[in-house]
């Protein structure tokens, strides 16, 4: 029997959540609809969050207007409640079985409406939207509640909010309360709309187990400079992790339910045998295969020396790189890099033969005892389309692969774009102990591929099982897992029996590389119950809802690879739990009745990943890895003569820098255009920006321009062991520009790599990409990263040198490096540029030419010349300066 839905309790909410509270649009506001209050309240308790989004609007027009309430939430989140309050009357959303909601759904479609209130809107998000007519002077309150269990990804939980009110809001406030009994190890924030001024509206307080993040901007702080529009349009992210030890994990108990988190620290990685199966069919041509090559080359570099690997590429036919798996030695990796770089696209898609070849490679190595004892074998498939050659029936391919693997290896599938059937790949992976990920066609596809590999790069345990006393617990969620990877976490939840012991104990068994291991842990029921008594941080009975959420997610996943007979039983269980706990899942719908009449209703259904065929919905979407805010290229503006400053030839080093004459003087002559003078003369080259400008406080010369004329391979620009910072770069002398600049911090462990197209920030093996000229404000313990719309990225902290990176697009365009607060360099600073922050001795100007002089640093002599250069440090168009210049 299917349970009927009782009154839906307000549940707990999501934490890796992405919230877009975007009620009425700016255009709507002009028509009289005004948001006077918008609040977001998220209580995160032991990785489980309860989020409430409340918007209050008023119609200030003298006619009826339509108000729209719009929220973006994570795909993994379940909506649990929605209501509208209009004229003191509450119009709730009712969650029903999909079949029961079909009548209202069909009626809405018959009226020509879009009946689905929830739709896919980005890589990780769904958009909930509802509109309602509002009478003059009337007020409406919208409230949406959703819940999600945070998933640990590469060593961090992530709370992601999309902030887009689209108009100024008198009362705008976000509160995020985090409570983690294990203790908060680190907490960092990031925003793509925050400025230094707006940062004053953000407060972060934290103790050992609790954190409170509040964002409460005033109206004036919300305004764009010189305009009445809101500046709030972008992402707000909180990342954190908890303290861990080499133990059986943390068992937490609340209101008769328990959750067991397991992610032990300090375990060595198990050697792996990995086969990369790469689609090179014709549909992969262009940027897709280029990005695949780039990612594969980077992934090969990340292989451990203890790993073995091979490559299989396929189109109409499959081909293996080597006849056997080979060790990940430097020589083999270099050969594989060359092979990956040479992969060319053509032909159809024969997934079946490619997969069977990959399995055969592992089988052959296994039979010959070439696989190290205790190692883990993985197959990683990347394809962008459905099978078109060889065996093309998806069910038969799934059957063939499952029978061939026979539970011995784990298969992970990456679907590139939207031409591939996600459902086909998902079942293929789940049948064989793996998972599936969609790779979005975008400028950061390479990073997506690298990030996925990092998730599975370090297996720590195999055959992980959880054991609890049978007289103590019941209704336990999944308790056995094939693999545990570094940076992830296994979660088990269940219910305590009525007569359970005072102490709940557990054993976790698993297999290390060469031995079995058993972890034991226990937890006092009374002490744990007391731990969760703070109402400010805890949502009552949240652990029961966490258990229901986790169980439903696991049942839905099991349905994918279950037989028809098993599938019906799993669906019934998942449906009953969805109705009992009021979750909008793929098996339920929420019927929203509007005040226009009892028959005027709309239906909210949870989108399913396998049905998303909108190929380009993610481009420029709110979660695009490379966000494109303000991507206009600044150009040099016209001077008083109508020409750009680089066309206005100025005086030499001894002359004025800003001549009032429309055509400045040089050597006493007017530099009028040659056609006006009737003469033919060489046109002076425009003034260029140097490769680097060094600020030298406390020295006799306070500024040094450096041009690089000789460079082979990567350069160590500066290194300061006391500051814990290193800057390396590659300079292309032919193009006279840096092809990349990389900044590495030791504490915190952070790497920032800049190339002309974008910036990649890497922390804990996790990559985040940002396009230039995109606003960024990120605070990591020990370092602050900010980027303005001019593209200036600054890496700063109170006691460190400030390092800046800039995509200069003036004369001599290319990446540029800035250094500020250089008096903080230690006496041990070194490197091609760092040497100039040691004792520099300047010689007197040359007698024959006072624009030349020598300088000596660390027993090296350089010739310096006084030249006119463009200062790029404040961005384009730059300022002309006279500075001493050296060539390296």
């Amino acid at each position: 029997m299917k349970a009927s839905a009782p009154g839906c309790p307000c549940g707990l909410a999501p934490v890796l959540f992405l919230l877009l509270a975007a009620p009425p649009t700016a255009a709507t506001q002009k028509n009289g609809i005004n948001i006077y209050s918008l609040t977001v309240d998220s209580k995160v308790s032991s990785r489980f969050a309860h989020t409430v989004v409340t918007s209050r609007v008023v119609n200030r027009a003298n006619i009826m207007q339509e108000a729209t309430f719009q929220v973006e939430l994570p795909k993994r989140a379940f909506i649990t409640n929605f209501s509208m309050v209009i004229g003191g009357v509450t119009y709730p959303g009712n969650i029903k079985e999909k079949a029961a909601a079909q009548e209202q759904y069909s009626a809405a479609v018959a009226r020509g409406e879009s009946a689905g209130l929830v739709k896919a809107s980005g890589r990780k998000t769904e958009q909930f939207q509802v509109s309602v007519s509002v009478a003059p002077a009337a007020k409406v309150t919208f409230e949406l509640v959703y819940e999600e269990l945070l998933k640990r990804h590469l060593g961090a939980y992530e709370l992601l909010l999309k902030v887009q009110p689209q108009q100024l809001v008198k009362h705008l406030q976000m509160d995020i309360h985090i409570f983690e009994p294990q203790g908060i190890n680190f907490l960092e924030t990031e925003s793509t709309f925050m400025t230094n001024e707006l940062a004053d509206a953000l407060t972060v307080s934290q103790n050992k187990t609790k954190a409170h993040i509040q964002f409460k901007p005033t109206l004036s702080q919300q305004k764009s400079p010189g305009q009445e529009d809101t500046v709030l349009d972008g992402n707000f992210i909180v990342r954190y992790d908890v303290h861990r030890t080499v133990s059986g994990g943390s068992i937490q108990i609340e209101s008769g339910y328990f959750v067991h988190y397991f992610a032990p620290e300090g375990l060595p990685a198990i050697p792996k045998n990995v086969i990369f199966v790469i689609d090179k069919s014709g549909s992969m041509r262009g940027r897709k295969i280029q990005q695949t090559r780039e990612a594969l080359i980077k992934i090969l570099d990340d292989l451990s020396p203890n790993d073995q690997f091979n490559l299989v590429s396929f189109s109409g036919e499959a081909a293996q790189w080597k006849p056997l798996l080979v060790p990940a030695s430097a020589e083999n990796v270099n050969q594989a890099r060359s092979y990956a770089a040479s992969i060319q696209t053509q032909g159809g898609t024969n997934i079946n033969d490619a997969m069977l070849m990959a399995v055969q490679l592992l089988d052959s190595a296994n039979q010959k005892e070439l696989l190290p004892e205790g190692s883990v074998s993985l197959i990683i498939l990347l394809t962008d389309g459905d099978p078109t050659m060889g065996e093309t029936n998806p069910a038969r391919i799934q059957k063939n692969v499952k029978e061939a693997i026979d539970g011995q290896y784990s298969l992970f599938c990456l679907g590139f774009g939207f031409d591939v059937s996600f459902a086909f790949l998902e079942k293929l992976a789940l049948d064989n102990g793996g998972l599936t990920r969609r790779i979005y066609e975008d400028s950061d596809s390479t990073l997506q591929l690298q990030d996925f590999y990092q998730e599975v790069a370090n297996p720590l345990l195999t055959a992980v099982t959880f054991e609890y006393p049978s007289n103590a617990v019941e209704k336990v969620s999944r308790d056995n897992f094939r693999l545990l990877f570094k940076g992830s976490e296994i979660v088990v939840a269940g219910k305590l029996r009525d007569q359970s012991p005072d102490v709940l104990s557990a054993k976790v068994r698993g297999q290390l590389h060469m031995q079995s291991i058993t972890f034991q842990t226990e937890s006092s029921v009374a002490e744990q119950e007391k731990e969760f008594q703070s109402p400010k941080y805890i949502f009552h009975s949240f652990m029961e809802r966490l258990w229901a959420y986790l169980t439903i997610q696991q049942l839905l996943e099991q349905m994918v690879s279950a037989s028809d007979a098993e599938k019906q039983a799993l669906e019934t269980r998942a449906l009953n739990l969805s109705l009992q706990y009021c979750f909008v899942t793929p098996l339920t719908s929420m019927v929203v009745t509007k005040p226009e009449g009892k028959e005027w209703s709309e239906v909210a259904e949870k989108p399913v990943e396998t049905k998303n065929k909108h190929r380009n919905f993610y481009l420029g979407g709110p979660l695009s890895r490379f966000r494109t805010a303000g991507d206009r290229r600044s150009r040099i503006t016209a001077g008083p003569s109508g020409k750009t400053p680089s066309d206005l030839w100025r005086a030499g080093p001894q002359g004025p820098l800003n001549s009032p004459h429309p055509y400045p003087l040089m050597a006493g002559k007017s530099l009028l255009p040659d056609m006006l003078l009737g003469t033919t003369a060489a046109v002076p080259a425009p003034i260029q920006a140097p490769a680097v400008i060094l600020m030298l406080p406390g020295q006799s010369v306070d500024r040094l321009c450096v041009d690089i004329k000789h460079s082979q391979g990567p350069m160590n620009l500066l290194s300061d062991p006391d500051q814990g910072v290193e800057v390396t770069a590659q300079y292309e002398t032919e193009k006279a520009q840096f092809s990349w600049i990389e900044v590495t911090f030791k504490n915190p462990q952070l790497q920032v790599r800049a190339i002309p197209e974008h910036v990649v920030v890497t922390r804990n093996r996790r990559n985040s990409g940002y396009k230039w000229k995109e606003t960024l404000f990120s605070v990591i313990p020990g370092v602050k990263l900010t980027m303005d719309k001019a593209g200036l990225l600054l890496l700063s902290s109170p006691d460190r040198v400030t390092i800046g990176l800039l995509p200069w697009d003036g004369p001599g365009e290319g990446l540029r490096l800035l250094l500020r607060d250089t008096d903080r360099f230690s006496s041990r600073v070194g490197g091609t540029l760092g040497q100039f922050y040691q004792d520099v001795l300047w010689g007197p100007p040359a007698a024959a030419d006072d624009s030349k002089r020598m300088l000596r640093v660390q027993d090296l002599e350089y010739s310096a010349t006084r030249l006119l250069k463009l200062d790029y440090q404040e961005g384009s168009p730059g300022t002309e300066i006279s500075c001493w210049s050296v060539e390296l």
Side-chain angles (χ1 to χ4, degrees):
M1 293 204 32
K2 293 176 180 176
S4 59
C8 292
C10 291
L12 278 214
V15 159
L16 178 134
F17 68 52
L18 179 142
L19 167 102
L20 157 70
T25 63
T28 310
Q29 182 193 14
K30 295 176 182 178
N31 292 334
I33 294 294
N34 173 248
I35 312 167
Y36 61 90
S37 176
L38 174 60
T39 62
V40 181
D41 184 79
S42 181
K43 289 181 172 62
V44 182
S45 306
S46 294
R47 293 48 146 199
F48 196 64
H50 175 77
T51 300
V52 181
V53 184
T54 306
S55 177
R56 293 178 170 86
V57 305
V58 61
N59 181 9
R60 301 196 185 281
N62 55 11
I63 58 173
M64 184 83 74
Q65 294 287 0
E66 185 177 74
T68 300
F69 174 73
Q70 188 183 91
V71 174
E72 291 207 10
L73 61 152
K75 289 180 178 179
R76 287 181 54 85
F78 291 156
I79 292 173
T80 67
N81 192 30
F82 171 74
S83 65
M84 295 181 292
V85 179
I86 306 174
V89 179
T90 300
Y91 299 88
N94 297 309
I95 296 175
K96 301 181 179 182
E97 182 183 353
K98 271 193 173 178
Q102 188 60 44
E103 183 178 345
Q104 289 96 324
Y105 182 88
S106 300
V109 172
R111 292 194 300 269
E113 299 176 3
S114 174
L117 298 183
V118 185
K119 61 182 179 180
S121 61
R123 296 182 186 179
K124 300 179 181 178
T125 59
E126 298 165 354
Q127 183 185 90
F128 175 90
Q129 178 174 306
V130 64
S131 300
V132 65
S133 297
V134 185
K139 296 181 178 180
V140 180
T141 297
F142 300 97
E143 184 175 278
L144 180 73
V145 183
Y146 61 93
E147 301 177 349
E148 182 189 15
L149 176 63
L150 291 186
K151 190 173 182 180
R152 190 167 184 245
H153 173 72
L154 294 176
Y157 307 101
E158 184 173 87
L159 170 63
L160 174 57
L161 299 89
K162 176 77 175 181
V163 182
Q164 192 183 29
Q166 299 186 15
Q167 63 171 262
L168 300 176
V169 180
K170 184 177 181 180
H171 175 223
L172 192 154
Q173 183 169 334
M174 292 189 296
D175 285 282
I176 301 153
H177 293 276
I178 300 173
F179 175 56
E180 290 291 349
Q182 287 176 255
I184 298 173
N185 183 28
F186 73 84
L187 184 144
E188 58 192 49
T189 62
E190 175 184 318
S191 170
T192 60
F193 60 82
M194 198 78 68
T195 61
N196 286 317
E197 294 75 20
L198 201 55
D200 293 336
L202 176 67
T203 58
V204 179
S205 57
Q206 177 187 346
N207 60 24
K208 182 179 178 182
T209 59
K210 298 178 181 179
H212 178 208
I213 299 100
Q214 184 180 80
F215 180 61
K216 190 177 180 181
T218 63
L219 279 172
S220 60
Q221 287 173 321
Q222 295 175 45
K223 290 181 181 178
S224 299
Q227 302 181 28
E228 292 300 310
D229 294 333
T230 179
V231 73
L232 303 180
D233 185 1
N235 301 326
F236 182 79
I237 301 167
V238 178
R239 295 189 187 95
Y240 76 94
D241 197 16
V242 300
H243 290 292
R244 303 173 194 280
T245 58
V246 182
S247 70
S250 172
I251 298 178
Q252 300 168 24
I253 301 167
E254 190 259 348
S255 299
Y257 283 78
F258 78 92
V259 61
H260 187 173
Y261 293 108
F262 181 70
E265 286 290 287
L267 297 181
I270 299 175
K272 61 184 182 293
N273 316 296
V274 57
I275 308 287
F276 299 98
V277 184
I278 306 300
D279 185 347
K280 61 171 186 177
S281 61
S283 58
M284 284 284 291
R285 71 171 57 90
R287 187 164 71 162
K288 280 195 283 190
I289 197 63
Q290 177 187 344
Q291 291 173 321
T292 299
R293 291 191 205 105
E294 292 172 0
L296 189 54
I297 288 170
K298 181 66 171 67
I299 288 169
L300 290 168
D301 286 340
D302 289 339
L303 288 171
S304 166
N306 296 324
D307 294 338
Q308 295 191 110
F309 74 104
N310 204 341
L311 305 171
V312 172
S313 60
F314 71 95
S315 51
E317 296 180 350
Q320 58 196 31
W321 170 55
K322 296 284 187 182
L324 297 170
L325 276 80
V326 297
S329 63
E331 181 182 356
N332 287 333
V333 167
N334 284 334
Q335 289 180 19
R337 284 165 52 97
S338 299
Y339 175 81
S342 67
I343 294 175
Q344 301 297 322
T345 58
Q346 63 175 1
T349 307
N350 191 337
I351 294 176
N352 187 74
D353 286 2
M355 288 304 305
L356 296 183
M357 178 177 287
V359 176
Q360 179 57 38
L361 280 167
L362 289 170
D363 283 346
S364 176
N366 205 4
Q367 291 164 6
K368 296 175 182 178
E369 298 184 348
L370 298 176
L371 301 183
E373 184 180 353
S375 60
V376 171
S377 296
L378 312 176
I379 300 173
I380 299 177
L381 166 67
L382 171 66
T383 182
D384 77 330
D386 295 333
T388 62
M389 297 188 70
E391 178 58 73
T392 58
N393 183 294
R396 281 199 288 268
I397 295 174
Q398 290 163 345
K399 180 175 180 290
N400 292 343
V401 173
K402 184 175 182 180
E403 290 178 352
I405 289 179
D406 194 26
Q408 298 180 87
Y409 322 123
S410 295
L411 170 61
F412 298 89
C413 298
L414 302 176
F416 209 140
F418 284 85
D419 290 331
V420 65
S421 169
F422 190 88
F424 164 65
L425 293 182
E426 183 178 39
K427 180 171 173 55
L428 197 62
L430 290 175
D431 280 350
N432 298 285
L435 56 86
T436 299
R437 185 71 50 80
R438 192 185 297 281
I439 302 299
Y440 295 87
E441 294 182 56
D442 210 338
S443 54
D444 70 330
S445 298
T446 300
L447 285 183
Q448 295 177 54
L449 292 167
Q450 290 174 213
D451 269 3
F452 174 82
Y453 173 74
Q454 287 298 333
E455 288 183 54
V456 300
N458 296 286
L460 302 179
L461 285 173
T462 63
V464 184
T465 60
F466 291 73
E467 300 174 8
Y468 307 95
S470 58
N471 66 334
V473 301
E474 60 182 341
K475 299 181 179 179
V476 178
S477 63
R478 180 183 171 188
D479 59 6
N480 62 90
F481 303 84
R482 183 177 291 196
L483 288 164
L484 169 68
F485 293 102
K486 182 179 180 179
S488 67
E489 181 175 63
I490 294 177
V491 185
V492 179
K495 185 178 186 300
L496 299 181
R497 291 186 182 275
D498 292 339
Q499 302 299 322
S500 63
D502 294 335
V503 174
L504 176 61
S505 61
K507 290 182 179 179
V508 184
R509 304 184 191 275
Q511 185 70 37
L512 293 169
H513 177 203
M514 298 295 288
Q515 67 183 50
S516 298
I517 187 171
T518 299
F519 298 92
Q520 296 192 36
T521 188
E522 60 182 29
S523 187
S524 167
V525 176
E527 289 179 6
Q528 284 293 311
E529 291 279 9
K530 184 179 179 181
E531 188 94 52
F532 292 100
Q533 295 302 314
S534 173
K536 184 177 181 181
Y537 285 79
I538 306 305
F539 188 82
H540 182 61
S541 297
F542 80 90
M543 205 162 285
E544 179 179 355
R545 298 187 64 78
L546 184 161
W547 164 81
Y549 172 96
L550 180 63
T551 302
I552 292 169
Q553 291 280 26
Q554 291 178 351
L555 289 169
L556 293 172
E557 185 177 281
Q558 291 170 29
M559 285 169 55
V560 175
S561 56
S563 65
D564 291 341
E566 295 171 328
K567 188 174 296 184
Q568 184 57 54
L570 294 169
E571 180 176 329
T572 300
R573 285 186 61 199
L575 173 60
N576 289 342
L577 285 173
S578 299
L579 293 173
Q580 181 181 349
Y581 291 94
C582 298
F583 287 133
V584 178
T585 72
L587 304 176
T588 56
S589 300
M590 175 184 282
V591 179
V592 179
T593 302
K594 292 186 176 183
E596 283 85 348
K598 292 183 179 179
E599 300 303 319
W600 192 274
S601 60
E602 292 183 296
V603 177
E605 295 188 341
K606 188 164 185 64
V608 180
E609 174 72 23
T610 56
K611 294 181 180 179
N612 292 342
K613 287 300 236 181
H614 312 293
R615 299 182 185 175
N616 297 318
F617 77 81
Y618 53 86
L619 291 177
L623 279 183
S624 176
R625 177 80 65 159
F626 290 117
R627 310 166 184 89
T628 54
D631 198 26
R632 296 183 296 273
R633 295 176 66 84
S634 302
R635 294 296 181 189
I636 296 177
T637 55
S641 66
K643 293 185 176 290
T644 63
S646 62
D647 295 325
L648 300 178
W649 308 303
R650 304 294 177 89
Q654 307 302 320
L657 295 180
N658 293 290
S659 170
H661 195 287
Y663 292 99
L665 303 177
M666 181 174 287
K669 297 181 180 180
S670 174
L671 294 178
L672 288 170
D674 296 331
M675 62 180 183
L676 298 181
L677 296 174
T679 62
T680 301
V683 178
I687 298 170
Q688 301 285 315
V692 182
I693 297 176
L694 298 179
M695 308 308 292
L696 307 174
Q699 299 192 25
S700 58
V701 173
D702 63 359
R703 182 165 49 198
L704 181 67
C705 294
V706 178
D707 283 305
I708 300 172
K709 299 298 183 182
H710 308 285
S711 172
Q712 291 184 347
M715 305 171 63
N716 177 16
L717 295 184
L718 64 88
S719 177
D720 190 334
D722 292 358
Q723 289 267 305
V725 64
E726 183 178 62
V727 181
T728 56
Q730 177 86 49
Y731 192 83
E732 298 182 40
T733 52
E734 291 182 2
K735 295 182 179 179
Q737 62 179 243
F738 289 105
S739 56
W740 56 264
I741 302 175
E742 194 168 273
V743 183
T744 303
F745 294 94
K746 289 185 178 179
N747 187 24
Q749 291 188 350
L750 179 75
Q751 186 181 83
V752 179
R753 184 180 178 89
I755 62 175
E757 294 78 23
H758 56 253
V759 179
V760 177
V761 179
T762 303
R763 176 159 161 76
N764 296 331
R765 301 180 295 123
R766 184 180 60 251
N767 297 307
S768 299
Y770 308 93
K771 286 189 174 178
W772 291 109
K773 304 183 180 179
E774 173 189 60
T775 307
L776 172 67
F777 193 96
S778 177
V779 180
I780 297 171
V783 178
K784 181 171 73 172
L785 292 79
T786 63
M787 181 159 58
D788 58 24
K789 290 189 176 181
L792 176 58
L793 175 67
L794 293 177
L795 316 174
S796 61
S797 66
D799 55 353
R800 276 197 177 109
V801 174
T802 296
I803 299 173
L805 300 169
L806 180 73
W808 169 253
D809 51 14
E813 65 180 359
L815 294 175
R816 289 296 188 275
L817 176 71
L818 295 80
L819 297 174
R820 298 176 181 174
D821 308 311
T822 53
D823 56 328
R824 296 174 181 170
F825 274 127
S826 75
S827 59
R828 296 203 292 162
V829 63
T832 303
L833 302 179
Q835 64 178 328
F836 293 104
Y837 292 95
Q838 297 286 357
D839 293 330
V840 177
L841 299 176
W842 288 87
D849 185 351
D850 61 5
S851 67
K852 296 183 180 297
R853 63 194 300 190
M854 300 298 293
L855 73 153
R856 177 185 291 273
V857 54
Q858 295 183 333
D859 298 326
L860 296 175
E861 282 195 345
Y862 298 95
S863 173
T865 305
R866 194 77 174 175
L867 296 174
L868 201 60
K869 296 284 187 178
L870 271 182
D871 187 348
Y872 56 79
Q873 297 180 93
E874 299 300 326
S876 197
T879 305
E880 292 179 9
I881 57 171
S882 177
C883 71
W884 289 101
S885 300
V886 298
E887 294 183 356
L888 303 179

